[in-house]
Amino acid sequence: MIPLYQEAQNIEMWKKYQKNFNAGLWYDKFFYQWEKDWTIAKDGKKDGKKDGKKEWIQSVTSGDIGDPSLIQEALTRLLSLVTTLGGSYMCYKTQWRFVTGLGRKHPIENGFVWHHTLGVPYLPGSSFKGLVRSWAEEWSEIDPKEIEKIFGPKGKGKSDKAGSVIFFDVLPIKAIKLEADVMTPHYSPYYLQEKNKIEKAPGDWYAPGDWYDPVPIPFLTVASDQTFVFAIAPRIKEGKEDIFKLQEWIKEALSWAGAGAKTSVGYGRFEPHEEAQRKLAQSLKKEG
């Protein structure tokens, strides 16, 4: 089943991702792995059924995602604005897998963040700002007053004053390669039981145990060696001095803290990609 009128549900073009599609729109809105009882098929050797969730994820992992010309156009507009404002941009590539938006609702249980118009994975400017601020507060010895000056007061109702620097959406420099991954939580039965009905572990103590069967849950990720542009610009005149500080902070935050979800287990780490930045600068210079 897909969210179309009945007359349009048999159109074969919707049943396979095509390069001219907006991948994000198609992935989020045209899920068709439902059974008649609104369940999703799982791998079954007897009935020959495939895992509907895994199959849906793999539908967007066979080739690059995104229209190169549209991505280039968006980058040109973004970086022209950044340059005009006296800002800075840096190219970083994923060291391993990167995932963001797992908490978003989706039939496969784990969501994914897509750029609305480009249909490619991206990191919202608010998330970019948040990860750098988190690194500055938790991983460094930077003066809290300086952090508040650059990022603005923390928490609602503190102040209407904004920080001295603007953080832009993080976009890929070209079409992106995606990969399927899987998590295998072991302790679901333990955490789902009511408190007074918890199954006892051996020895009459209550705790999650490794005797529970793992439950494979597939999810979508950005592959390694995918390059993104991280751009910042001063919001006020005094913010120009902060741009130079932030360049180093961003490098440290992406290297040590990581961006997106599952950073505690190694996802979301980035490293500078100087060659890509040089080529991007040359490309923008020609267009300018």
Side-chain angles (χ1 to χ4, degrees), residues 65-228:
I65 297 296
D67 185 320
S69 62
L70 293 179
I71 294 173
Q72 184 63 35
E73 183 181 344
L75 279 178
T76 300
R77 292 198 305 268
L78 169 64
L79 300 184
S80 294
L81 173 60
V82 171
T83 303
T84 301
L85 293 174
S88 170
Y89 63 89
M90 301 137 282
C91 289
Y92 286 85
K93 65 178 180 179
T94 51
Q95 293 181 349
W96 192 50
R97 289 171 174 167
F98 162 61
V99 59
T100 181
L102 284 181
R104 296 186 68 206
K105 293 182 179 180
H106 194 279
I108 66 168
E109 293 184 60
N110 295 294
F112 197 74
V113 170
W114 301 90
H115 192 278
H116 297 293
T117 56
L118 298 177
V120 295
Y122 83 115
L123 188 68
S126 57
S127 298
F128 174 25
K129 179 179 180 179
L131 79 90
V132 181
R133 179 169 195 154
S134 178
W135 172 85
E137 292 177 339
E138 299 178 19
W139 291 62
S140 73
E141 297 180 354
I142 300 170
D143 186 343
K145 291 183 179 180
E146 185 174 12
I147 293 175
E148 184 170 308
K149 170 180 171 287
I150 293 174
F151 297 95
K154 196 172 184 179
K156 293 183 178 180
K158 294 289 184 180
S159 172
D160 293 332
K161 184 179 179 181
S164 63
V165 175
I166 303 170
F167 291 76
F168 294 91
D169 290 344
V170 178
L171 302 178
I173 65 170
K174 60 181 181 180
I176 285 290
K177 177 67 177 175
L178 303 178
E179 292 180 343
D181 205 339
V182 62
M183 61 180 82
T184 52
H186 286 62
Y187 309 132
S188 296
Y190 172 84
Y191 290 114
L192 292 175
Q193 292 180 93
E194 295 180 17
K195 188 174 182 180
N196 60 345
K197 296 181 180 179
I198 294 177
E199 179 183 343
K200 287 186 177 181
D204 289 337
W205 51 277
Y206 295 96
D210 288 333
W211 57 86
Y212 291 125
D213 291 331
V215 180
I217 301 176
F219 62 100
L220 186 62
T221 70
V222 175
S224 60
D225 293 323
Q226 305 303 298
T227 305
F228 290 78

Side-chain angles (χ1 to χ4, degrees), residues 7 15 19 21 71 91 114 128 136 146 153 159 187 202 214 261-262 275 277 285:
E7 294 79 4
K15 296 188 176 181
K19 283 192 173 182
F21 286 179
I71 294 173
C91 289
W114 301 90
F128 174 25
E146 185 174 12
S159 172
Y187 309 132
K262 299 179 74 67
E275 179 65 16
Q277 184 153 342
K285 189 174 181 180

